[in-house]
């Protein structure tokens, strides 16, 4: 056997190994891309689920309050109205501070916001960014 005959016999095996290696790397890259896309979708789904929970809790509270007022179980008094307006004022202050760049947790702790109010601030912050992105596009 001559040298060209020996090297020709090993050539298909080398190409087959290289092709197998390239296919394996391609499969790894494809699976990594699918895993990243899945993680992004899971993150979006979790955020939407939190937002839905906040809105469901808020609408339930509004419905309960309206039901109590309509059935006459609770008479509206002035102190709760003032308390509600002061909570709205606190939320406005919190929103302004968050827009200036302070973290939601720091603002919530300093103003004594409840978990629902913090979630509302997070939602407003995310929706504000979305509107800016839509305007740019």
């Amino acid at each position: 056997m001559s040298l060209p005959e020996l090297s020709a016999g090993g050539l298909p095996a080398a190409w087959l190994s290289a092709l197998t290696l390239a296919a394996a790397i391609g499969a790894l890259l494809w699976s990594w891309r699918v895993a990243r896309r899945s993680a992004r979708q899971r993150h979006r789904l979790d955020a939407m689920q939190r937002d839905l929970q906040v809105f469901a809790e808020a609408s339930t509270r509004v419905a309960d309050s309206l039901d109590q007022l309509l059935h006459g179980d609770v008479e509206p008094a002035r102190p709760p109205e003032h308390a509600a307006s002061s909570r709205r004022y606190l939320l406005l202050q919190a929103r302004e501070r968050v827009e200036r760049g302070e973290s939601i947790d720091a603002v919530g702790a300093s103003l004594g916001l409840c978990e629902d109010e913090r979630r509302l601030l997070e939602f407003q912050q995310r929706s504000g960014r979305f509107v800016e992105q839509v305007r740019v596009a």
Side-chain angles (χ1 to χ4, degrees), residues 118-135:
R118 289 180 188 191
R119 287 183 187 171
L120 181 62
L121 283 175
E122 289 173 359
F123 176 76
Q124 288 175 343
Q125 185 180 25
R126 282 194 310 268
S127 66
R129 287 181 185 162
F130 178 73
V131 170
E132 290 172 4
Q133 290 174 355
V134 171
R135 287 183 190 160

Side-chain angles (χ1 to χ4, degrees), residues 10-125:
L11 188 62
W15 280 103
L16 187 58
S17 296
L19 183 62
T20 304
L21 179 63
I25 290 173
L28 284 174
L29 290 174
W30 180 77
S31 63
W32 178 74
R33 183 176 176 190
V34 168
R36 293 232 343 144
R37 184 180 297 163
S38 176
R40 277 193 306 250
Q41 293 298 330
R42 171 53 62 193
H43 180 69
R44 288 179 187 160
L45 185 61
D46 289 342
M48 288 171 52
Q49 189 173 13
R50 281 193 310 269
D51 294 343
L52 178 63
Q53 183 180 5
V54 168
F55 286 125
E57 289 173 4
S59 65
T60 302
R61 288 181 184 165
V62 167
D64 288 344
S65 298
L66 185 60
D67 190 39
Q68 288 176 351
L69 287 173
L70 290 176
H71 290 303
D73 297 341
V74 177
E75 293 182 16
R78 292 207 175 255
E81 291 175 7
H82 294 301
S85 65
S86 66
R87 293 308 291 177
R88 276 182 254 159
Y89 179 70
L90 276 178
L91 279 174
L92 284 173
Q93 282 183 333
R95 183 175 164 198
E96 290 173 0
R97 288 173 61 177
V98 167
E99 287 174 354
R100 282 184 274 165
E102 292 185 47
S103 73
I104 292 175
D105 293 330
V107 171
S110 67
L111 295 177
L113 300 178
C114 68
E115 186 64 27
D116 288 341
E117 292 167 335
R118 289 180 188 191
R119 287 183 187 171
L120 181 62
L121 283 175
E122 289 173 359
F123 176 76
Q124 288 175 343
Q125 185 180 25

